[in-house]
């Protein structure tokens, strides 16, 4: 039986929630060249994939963070999935903005959350970990205990692993970059000679220039 990370990687590739273009790299907002582009919000348009992710996120929370008392989604990509998971588990739900509202109550956390509540955070994508851990910080500043974070996909950057370790946040993801490369090769989304290029990008994406031409 296939592992969960490979199964989900295949699903994300098939609906183009993840695109791989080692020969024609994308340019991220950060200015980085990248052979991969991820938009997990696309999963919401596919009921089977959406439900698969909802069920698996919920299962991981039940198995790994049974003490959870509330669910928090990270804006904006994980707002919907967080709501689906909290509904499945029958738990209170909030979401955390990247910045406070510029009007009204200027909320950073939307919803009611009592200090001392044990919260699990839902994220759609882990890149460097910066925005995800800002949400953790906001919840901790509100007096809550973050018991862990569950995400759909991770690029597995070393900088992110260190950031989560330093912040003492237990992160579990449904799928990851390593599984994606395996699944993409098995299903014909990439060629064998693309594999090393994709692996090189993850080592240091800030300086990766693209696939080298073959003489």
């Amino acid at each position: 039986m296939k592992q969960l990370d490979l199964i989900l990687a295949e699903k994300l590739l098939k609906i183009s929630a993840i695109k791989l273009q080692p020969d024609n790299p994308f340019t991220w907002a950060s200015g980085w060249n990248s052979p991969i582009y991820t938009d997990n919000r696309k999963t919401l348009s596919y009921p089977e994939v959406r439900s698969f992710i909802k069920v698996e996120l919920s299962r991981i929370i039940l198995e790994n963070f049974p003490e959870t008392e509330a669910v928090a989604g990270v804006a904006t990509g994980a707002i919907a999935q967080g709501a689906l998971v909290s509904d499945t588990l029958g738990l209170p739900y909030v979401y955390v903005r990247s910045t406070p509202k510029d009007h009204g109550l200027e909320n950073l956390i939307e919803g009611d959350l009592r200090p001392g509540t044990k919260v699990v955070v839902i994220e759609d994508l882990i890149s460097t970990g910066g925005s995800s851990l800002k949400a953790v910080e906001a919840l901790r500043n509100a007096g809550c205990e973050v018991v862990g974070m569950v995400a759909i996909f991770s690029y597995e950057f070393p900088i992110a692993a260190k950031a989560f370790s330093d912040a003492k946040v237990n992160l579990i993801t449904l799928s990851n970059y390593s599984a994606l490369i395996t699944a993409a090769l098995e299903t014909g989304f990439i060629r064998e000679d693309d594999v090393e290029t994709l692996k090189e990008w993850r080592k240091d994406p800030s300086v990766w220039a693209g696939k080298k031409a073959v003489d």
Side-chain angles (χ1 to χ4, degrees), residues 105-160:
L105 298 177
E106 300 182 350
N107 293 336
L108 185 57
I109 299 172
E110 297 289 2
D112 289 332
L113 201 57
R114 298 188 313 275
T117 302
K118 292 179 171 62
V119 183
V120 71
V121 181
I122 302 292
E123 183 61 287
D124 68 322
L125 175 66
I126 304 296
S127 180
T128 61
S131 58
S132 306
L133 290 172
K134 279 184 181 178
V136 170
E137 182 182 11
L139 291 162
R140 286 174 171 169
N141 288 341
C144 297
E145 179 185 345
V146 176
V147 297
M149 183 181 296
V150 185
I152 297 173
F153 187 83
S154 170
Y155 289 131
E156 297 181 300
F157 291 148
I159 189 175

Side-chain angles (χ1 to χ4, degrees), residues 33-165:
N33 290 317
S34 171
I36 182 172
Y37 185 78
T38 304
D39 182 5
N40 286 326
R41 283 168 289 203
K42 275 197 171 186
T43 62
L44 299 170
S45 299
Y46 296 84
E48 186 270 332
V49 180
R50 182 181 70 214
S51 294
F52 181 86
I53 290 171
K54 173 190 71 176
V55 168
E56 292 302 325
L57 289 172
S58 300
R59 180 185 60 79
I60 285 177
I61 292 170
L62 289 172
E63 291 180 358
N64 295 275
F65 309 112
E67 70 274 34
T68 300
E69 297 172 329
V71 174
V74 180
T76 58
I79 290 178
Q81 284 294 352
L84 290 167
V85 169
S86 65
D87 191 56
T88 300
L89 298 176
L91 292 172
Y93 178 66
V94 301
Y95 71 84
V96 185
R97 293 176 173 272
S98 56
T99 56
K101 274 199 303 189
D102 59 4
H103 62 280
L105 298 177
E106 300 182 350
N107 293 336
L108 185 57
I109 299 172
E110 297 289 2
D112 289 332
L113 201 57
R114 298 188 313 275
T117 302
K118 292 179 171 62
V119 183
V120 71
V121 181
I122 302 292
E123 183 61 287
D124 68 322
L125 175 66
I126 304 296
S127 180
T128 61
S131 58
S132 306
L133 290 172
K134 279 184 181 178
V136 170
E137 182 182 11
L139 291 162
R140 286 174 171 169
N141 288 341
C144 297
E145 179 185 345
V146 176
V147 297
M149 183 181 296
V150 185
I152 297 173
F153 187 83
S154 170
Y155 289 131
E156 297 181 300
F157 291 148
I159 189 175
K162 184 178 186 304
F164 277 89
S165 176

